[in-house]
Amino acid sequence: MQPKELVAQFIAYIQAQRFDEAKSLLAPEGFEYVGPNMRFLNRDDMLSYQFGMAAIQKDLIVRQLSADGEHVFAILDYQTHFQPIGDVRLAVWFRVEGDKIHTVEAFYNAAVVENMLGGNLPSANPL
């Protein structure tokens, strides 16, 4: 699978809340997720957080997906059932090596998530 196709499949799995399938596309060793208010150094921790957010996820809409070699860039609308959050726009940078995603870096308004969770971010290691 090409990097863009791999990331598109990962996003589709997250959108469908198929976390085991999503996990299979992430590097088992050397994985890193970096966001504005948390950092995960393994895929299990990141997916545990995603699983915890599943209850409020209404939809995940891909607005733009583009690739430059092993780098894939996505602009997403994360729609929620949770009124205090509403919808969150995300810019996400993926780095793919071989047939696995090794790095995910997300950019979004972190204040919205922090306010919702009262500063208690589950399974997160602050930067």
Side-chain angles (χ1 to χ4, degrees), residues 101-112:
I101 298 167
H102 283 258
T103 306
V104 178
E105 190 166 352
F107 305 87
Y108 56 89
N109 181 355
V112 173

Side-chain angles (χ1 to χ4, degrees), residues 45-78:
D45 288 347
M46 190 208 58
L47 288 172
S48 291
Y49 175 74
Q50 288 294 324
F51 180 78
M53 296 294 285
I56 67 166
Q57 178 183 311
K58 184 183 342 179
D59 204 358
L60 184 61
I61 298 170
V62 178
R63 297 181 62 194
Q64 177 71 36
L65 189 63
S66 58
D68 182 8
E70 67 182 12
H71 302 275
V72 181
F73 308 92
I75 304 298
L76 308 169
D77 284 334
Y78 185 83

Side-chain angles (χ1 to χ4, degrees), residues 11-125:
I11 293 168
Y13 285 150
I14 294 295
Q15 193 248 0
Q17 299 183 9
R18 294 170 53 185
F19 299 108
D20 286 338
E21 290 94 335
K23 179 180 175 176
S24 73
L25 301 177
L26 301 175
E29 301 293 325
F31 174 80
E32 180 180 29
Y33 168 89
V34 178
N37 55 0
M38 63 191 75
R39 180 177 182 207
F40 301 110
L41 297 177
N42 69 64
R43 64 188 187 172
D44 291 321
D45 288 347
M46 190 208 58
L47 288 172
S48 291
Y49 175 74
Q50 288 294 324
F51 180 78
M53 296 294 285
I56 67 166
Q57 178 183 311
K58 184 183 342 179
D59 204 358
L60 184 61
I61 298 170
V62 178
R63 297 181 62 194
Q64 177 71 36
L65 189 63
S66 58
D68 182 8
E70 67 182 12
H71 302 275
V72 181
F73 308 92
I75 304 298
L76 308 169
D77 284 334
Y78 185 83
Q79 297 179 342
T80 75
H81 295 289
F82 192 66
Q83 195 61 31
I85 291 180
D87 299 340
V88 179
R89 289 235 165 87
L90 307 166
V92 188
W93 175 17
F94 297 86
R95 188 177 50 80
V96 177
E97 287 182 24
D99 62 348
K100 300 290 182 196
I101 298 167
H102 283 258
T103 306
V104 178
E105 190 166 352
F107 305 87
Y108 56 89
N109 181 355
V112 173
V113 176
E114 287 180 6
N115 288 339
M116 176 194 74
L117 299 173
N120 298 316
L121 299 172
S123 303
N125 298 318

